[in-house]
């Protein structure tokens, strides 16, 4: 090739374009993550069976089972996550479209009057049609990288939907446990109110007969009204919990069907796993992983945009006119090379944006894993402490019940003031309510541990999209 030939200059320019992209930026050092070998407790996890996909059925509550199934079918959050999968699938097809053969057709016709070479008017009717075929050769992987990014984004959206499903099931179970807890607290408050109503009636009769002081009557009335207020607060908490559960499963606020009482909902086994298992058992971790892949392949596509593009194009058509004896066949075939020359600032900015988004995805992955580890650690610590608290609460309720029985007996026999009985009754009420709260917290911690270890999720065999 002779010196100064235009083709030589173009070739030299094309060979110099890769250097414009610069070195491929590595992942930031702050995104590195070391998963611990064991949990904070230091105890080696015992072998356990995989968590069942419908793990909540182990509680044996048909009403809860129906509620979870309703939520998984009609929750707006889950339906929106499913719709986002379809968006990601369409975006994947769009990303790979430039690498496929494009075929288009064009046609037209018109009637016109023009002037010929002799200055005379010429009327003619003409028509033409053309079929155009084009294809961009992906010489440097730009289209392939964009398509891979779309595929990873689609996989991430599938994992995101699964994550919403796992979280939704756990949230419904936790909300239902909270509802049964509030039911139990309301029942305790109502039972206490009934007992105080009966005591107040006795004290009123005794006060009317002159056997009880006005102070005891005022104390009994005050205690009765305090308990009535507690009943009202408990019923309000029940209504709000029902409304929240209704909206969560995708229906208008309303009543929720009940099944087992809180005390009989104890069929869940305590799951166990190693910290490293979270990387494959949690859909949110897999989603964050695919977000990194998508961002990384987007970066590759942005860097490949520095390279020339080769497009092949061909067309075949025909033109006919009343001014011609026969139609004329038209065709063309050729190609073009588009090399960016004065776009380095724009391309460099696109590559930097892609690199930054890749780094953000890497940090998000690290945060997701750390959050997952924290959720499991918190749930495990909660279970251990709530077991202790449940045993303490049971003993406290038993002793408070005994103290109340003795105080009531002493008051009726005239050996103690009514205030002693009231204090014992308040202590019993507080102990009973606290026992219900501890039972709810323990079961909620068990649900949280089940969710933290994946909630029975199994990664799909393939998330390969349909074109």
């Amino acid at each position: 090739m002779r010196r100064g030939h235009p083709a030589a200059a173009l070739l030299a320019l094309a060979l110099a374009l890769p250097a414009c992209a610069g070195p491929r930026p590595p992942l930031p050092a702050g995104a590195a993550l070391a998963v611990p070998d064991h949990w904070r407790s230091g105890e080696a996890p015992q072998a356990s069976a995989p968590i069942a996909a419908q793990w909540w059925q182990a509680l044996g509550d048909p009403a809860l089972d129906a509620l979870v199934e309703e939520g998984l079918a009609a929750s707006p959050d889950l339906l929106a996550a499913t719709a986002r999968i379809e968006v990601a699938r369409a975006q994947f097809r769009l990303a790979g479209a430039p690498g496929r053969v494009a075929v288009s057709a064009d046609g037209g016709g018109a009637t016109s009057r023009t002037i010929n070479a002799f200055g005379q008017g010429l009327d003619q009717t003409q028509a033409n049609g053309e079929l155009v075929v084009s294809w961009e050769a992906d010489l440097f992987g730009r289209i392939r990288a964009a398509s891979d990014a779309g595929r990873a984004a689609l996989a991430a959206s599938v994992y995101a939907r699964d994550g919403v499903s796992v979280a939704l099931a756990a949230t419904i179970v936790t909300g239902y446990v909270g509802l049964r807890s509030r039911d139990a607290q309301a029942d305790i408050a109502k039972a206490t109110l009934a007992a105080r109503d009966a005591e107040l009636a006795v004290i009123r009769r005794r006060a009317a007969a002159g056997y009880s002081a006005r102070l005891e009557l005022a104390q009994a009335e005050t205690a009765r009204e305090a308990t009535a207020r507690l009943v009202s607060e408990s019923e309000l908490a029940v209504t709000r919990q029902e409304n929240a559960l209704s909206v969560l499963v995708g229906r208008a606020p309303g009543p929720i069907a009940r099944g087992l009482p809180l005390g009989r909902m104890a069929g869940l086994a305590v799951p166990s796993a190693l910290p490293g298992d979270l990387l494959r058992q949690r859909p949110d971790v897999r989603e964050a992983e695919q977000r990194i892949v998508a961002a990384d392949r987007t970066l590759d596509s942005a860097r490949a945009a520095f390279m020339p593009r080769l497009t092949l194009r061909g067309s075949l058509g025909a033109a006919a006119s009343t001014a011609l004896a026969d139609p004329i066949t038209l065709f063309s075939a050729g190609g073009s090379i588009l090399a960016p020359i004065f776009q380095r600032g724009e391309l460099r900015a696109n590559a930097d944006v892609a690199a930054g988004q890749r780094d953000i995805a890497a940090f998000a992955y690290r945060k997701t894993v750390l959050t997952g580890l924290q959720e499991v650690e918190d749930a495990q610590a909660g279970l251990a402490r709530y077991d202790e608290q449940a045993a303490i609460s049971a003993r406290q309720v038993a002793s408070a019940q005994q103290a109340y029985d003795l105080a009531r007996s002493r008051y009726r026999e005239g050996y103690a003031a009514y205030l002693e009985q009231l204090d014992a009754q308040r202590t019993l009420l507080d102990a009973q309510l606290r026992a219900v709260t501890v039972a709810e917290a323990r079961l909620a911690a068990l649900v949280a541990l089940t969710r933290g270890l994946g909630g029975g999720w199994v990664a799909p065999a393939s998330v390969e999209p349909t074109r």
Side-chain angles (χ1 to χ4, degrees):
M1 189 173 295
R2 297 191 306 270
R3 179 181 299 177
H5 197 282
L10 291 175
L11 179 60
L13 178 61
L15 293 176
L17 286 174
C20 298
R24 194 179 195 280
L27 281 171
L33 174 66
V35 179
D37 297 329
H38 55 79
W39 300 108
R40 183 178 176 181
S41 63
E43 299 178 1
Q46 299 178 357
S48 64
I51 301 173
Q54 285 79 34
W55 51 268
W56 56 86
Q57 294 180 354
L59 293 171
D61 192 329
L64 174 60
D65 297 343
L67 194 64
V68 174
E69 294 303 320
E70 180 182 357
L72 294 178
S75 168
D77 293 336
L78 190 56
L79 294 176
T82 302
R84 283 191 285 270
I85 293 178
E86 299 306 317
V87 173
R89 179 172 286 112
Q91 290 174 336
F92 166 74
R93 294 197 304 267
L94 183 63
R100 293 189 288 271
V101 175
V103 180
S104 61
D106 185 21
T111 299
S112 63
R113 168 172 290 183
T114 58
I115 300 176
N116 60 17
F118 301 100
Q120 299 174 336
L122 176 62
D123 295 331
Q124 64 173 330
T125 300
Q126 56 186 3
N128 65 284
E130 183 181 32
L131 185 67
V132 180
V133 179
S134 62
W135 174 67
E136 180 178 342
D138 191 21
L139 299 179
F140 302 101
R142 181 184 61 85
I143 300 174
R144 182 173 63 254
S147 181
D148 291 343
R151 180 182 288 106
L154 173 59
S157 67
V158 173
Y159 295 142
R161 186 273 315 274
D162 293 347
V164 172
S165 177
V166 169
L168 176 64
T171 304
I172 293 174
V173 174
T174 302
Y176 182 81
V177 169
L179 177 61
R180 299 305 283 140
S181 172
R182 284 150 184 77
D183 287 338
Q185 291 174 338
D187 291 341
I188 292 172
K190 291 175 183 178
T192 303
L193 178 61
R196 288 185 172 173
D197 280 339
E199 293 169 358
L200 180 59
V202 172
I203 293 176
R204 280 174 174 168
R205 288 195 301 268
R206 294 181 62 178
Y211 293 108
S212 294
R214 296 292 299 174
L215 176 60
E216 290 183 353
L217 178 59
Q219 290 172 337
E221 289 175 342
T222 301
R224 191 269 173 197
E225 296 305 324
T227 308
R229 177 179 54 80
L230 180 61
V231 170
S232 178
E233 292 173 351
S234 300
E235 291 178 340
L236 176 60
V238 169
T239 300
R240 287 177 172 173
Q241 191 73 3
E242 285 184 321
N243 292 341
L245 269 175
S246 297
V247 173
L248 184 62
V249 300
R251 67 164 97 145
I256 298 293
R258 308 298 204 274
L260 296 178
L262 182 65
R264 293 176 56 191
M265 299 175 63
L268 282 181
V270 179
S272 178
L274 290 169
D277 293 338
L278 266 65
L279 302 183
R280 61 176 180 274
Q281 290 180 185
R282 288 180 58 116
D284 57 343
V285 174
R286 297 290 291 272
E287 176 197 354
E289 184 181 67
Q290 288 301 311
R291 297 294 182 194
I292 295 179
V293 175
D296 197 60
R297 298 304 288 155
T298 300
L299 173 59
D300 290 340
S301 179
R303 289 171 56 80
F306 285 87
M307 304 300 294
R309 301 183 187 181
L310 173 61
T311 302
L312 303 179
R313 185 176 184 275
S315 65
L316 177 64
S321 172
T322 54
L324 300 174
D326 298 307
I328 298 176
T329 301
L330 306 174
F331 69 90
S332 68
S336 62
I337 297 178
L338 176 63
I341 298 177
F342 299 111
Q343 299 178 6
R344 183 172 182 268
E346 178 182 350
L347 297 178
R348 180 73 266 169
N350 287 336
D352 290 343
V353 168
Q357 290 174 338
R358 190 272 314 267
D359 294 348
I360 292 173
F363 290 128
Y365 174 80
R366 187 173 189 268
K367 174 69 177 300
T368 301
V369 174
L370 291 176
T371 301
L373 294 173
Q374 179 190 358
E375 291 175 353
V376 175
E377 291 280 12
D378 289 348
Q380 289 178 337
L383 279 177
R385 295 295 178 260
Y386 290 135
D387 284 339
E388 297 175 359
Q389 294 178 27
I392 295 172
S393 295
R395 295 193 298 267
Q396 184 182 13
V397 169
S399 60
Q401 182 68 56
Q402 184 179 10
Y404 171 66
D405 293 339
L406 291 174
R408 183 175 56 176
S409 177
R410 284 169 54 83
Y411 169 70
R412 290 181 176 180
E413 293 175 3
Y415 293 111
Y418 181 65
L419 184 59
E420 182 177 306
Q421 177 181 332
L422 277 181
D423 289 339
Q425 193 175 35
R426 291 192 192 99
T427 301
L428 176 60
L429 176 61
D430 291 341
Q432 290 174 329
L433 295 177
R434 177 59 184 169
V436 172
T437 301
V438 171
E440 175 192 356
R442 184 193 180 281
L443 196 49
L446 185 54
V447 173
L449 180 58
T450 303
R451 172 187 173 182
L453 293 178
W457 177 73
V458 178
S462 174
V463 291
E464 187 69 22
T466 56
R467 292 183 181 270

